[in-house]
Amino acid sequence: MKALVLSGGSGTRLRPITHTSAKQLVPVANKPVLFYGLESIAEAGITEVGIVVGDTAAEIEEAVGDGSKFGLDVTYIPQERPLGLAHAVLVARDFLGDDDFVMYLGDNFVVGGIRSLVEEFRANRPDAQILLTRVPDPRAFGVAELDASGQVIGLEEKPEHPKSDLALVGVYLFTPAVHAAVRAVQPSWRGELEITHAIQHLIDARADVRSTVIGGYWKDTGNVGDMLEVNRTVLERLERRIDGEVDDVSETVGRVVVEEGAKITNSRIVGPAVVGAGTVVGDSYIGPYTSIAENCRIVDSELEFSIVLRDSSITGVGRIESSLIGRHVEVTPAAGVPSAHRLVLGDHSKVQIRS
């Protein structure tokens, strides 16, 4: 069995961060979202992985390499434009061959991994198996309709009037039967070849299409709010570790990780929180659910429920919360702003703030 990981797409909902960085590489708890998916695939016993890449191919390849650090053998598959999930299956045809495969969206996050799902698929081997979860507003997702026995009878992509609250999670399992289905579908109103249409084609052909409704945590990390929520969820599982330098007047409370080379002076850190290697925190408060990447500088500031990417500095700005701050960002005081700030800053930004 192989895995097909989708890491193309422009990440428009995460702009300006994704103007200069692949959305799949935005970190939660100081690790790229994509890496969690690759680790789940390896844990499920799958070693051959094809990664579909687009405009950010070079960045993805630099981060993942040949896959050996995950225990994987990675092949990169170029997709000229993001023309839909079914199109990704089409361009990966040579890599997939006649093997069964799991398709995993690289910006999705599933707590608990996919091992049990893969084992279930291998044991029963339906033509397709989809993962579903209940969502409050299914209009932004592919939506499944089940009959009274739980059998999948219909799928719709981002319907205006959903027939259920069951959204498709970004993990799908297929036998080679899907290849004829993706060749049979036509582009949707969005101009894309939808995987929901291909699965519907299988349903209409009376193929064996099964579903699993998960009650655990799943997020599509396509926007800032979801990124912060996934960061919170991962940090909840953090184990305390202080490898860096914390002076005698500083306090670390609860599940706090201070990486080697980090330095904490005259500050208070309340977990769960992580401070990356080489980062300096001075005269500051770092509150729960905060991830600060490597080589940052936080001075005379308060930061909570936020993600700060590498090589950024925040100095003398009072309180920042619910924020995603890119790489090489400078946040400094300026006049006329409230004492609490909410920021979404792209890489190499410079912002002046007065507390």
Side-chain angles (χ1 to χ4, degrees), residues 1-248:
M1 191 170 184
K2 294 176 179 175
L4 186 66
V5 178
L6 275 56
S7 293
S10 55
T12 54
R13 291 179 295 158
L14 271 176
R15 288 177 179 168
I17 299 294
T18 50
H19 279 307
T20 51
S21 179
K23 64 178 179 177
Q24 298 84 7
L25 296 181
V26 176
V28 292
N30 287 2
K31 182 164 67 176
V33 172
L34 175 61
F35 287 12
Y36 292 98
L38 295 176
E39 290 168 355
S40 293
I41 289 166
E43 186 197 14
I46 299 170
T47 57
E48 291 185 75
V49 178
I51 300 182
V52 177
V53 292
D55 292 342
T56 59
E59 189 179 8
I60 298 289
E61 291 183 32
E62 181 181 1
V64 176
D66 63 1
S68 58
K69 63 185 176 183
F70 303 98
L72 304 173
D73 180 11
V74 168
T75 298
Y76 293 97
I77 303 165
Q79 185 183 30
E80 185 175 337
R81 288 189 295 154
L83 295 176
L85 305 188
H87 183 261
V89 177
L90 279 177
V91 301
R93 184 67 176 90
D94 289 344
F95 167 78
L96 294 170
D98 292 324
D99 293 310
D100 297 348
F101 67 97
V102 56
M103 183 167 73
Y104 197 115
L105 274 58
D107 60 351
N108 276 225
F109 184 88
V110 181
V111 169
I114 61 170
R115 183 173 181 174
S116 61
L117 180 70
V118 169
E119 289 175 349
E120 179 185 350
F121 178 81
R122 282 174 162 155
N124 300 312
R125 203 166 179 266
D127 295 300
Q129 187 165 344
I130 58 177
L131 206 58
L132 305 174
T133 191
R134 299 191 184 278
V135 296
D137 185 2
R139 291 176 297 175
F141 304 94
V143 177
E145 182 183 5
L146 309 183
D147 64 16
S149 66
Q151 183 67 32
V152 183
I153 58 174
L155 297 174
E156 294 180 284
E157 184 63 32
K158 297 180 173 62
E160 184 63 30
H161 303 288
K163 295 178 181 178
S164 81
D165 62 351
L166 292 169
L168 277 77
V169 173
V171 180
Y172 310 79
L173 297 107
F174 297 111
T175 67
V178 76
H179 295 301
V182 297
R183 289 195 301 269
V185 300
Q186 298 297 315
S188 67
W189 61 271
R190 300 192 302 166
E192 297 186 1
L193 296 177
E194 311 285 1
I195 199 66
T196 48
H197 293 178
I199 299 171
Q200 184 66 54
H201 182 86
L202 290 172
I203 294 170
D204 294 342
R206 299 189 180 279
D208 185 5
V209 177
R210 303 186 187 183
S211 66
T212 301
V213 179
I214 63 170
Y217 187 85
W218 163 79
K219 275 289 184 184
D220 169 2
T221 61
N223 61 52
V224 174
D226 286 341
M227 285 294 303
L228 293 174
E229 277 298 311
V230 171
N231 189 62
R232 179 191 61 79
T233 299
V234 175
L235 290 178
E236 286 281 12
R237 303 155 66 94
L238 203 65
E239 294 185 6
R240 181 180 173 86
R241 177 167 51 85
I242 308 295
D243 294 334
E245 180 182 342
V246 180
D247 71 6
D248 293 340

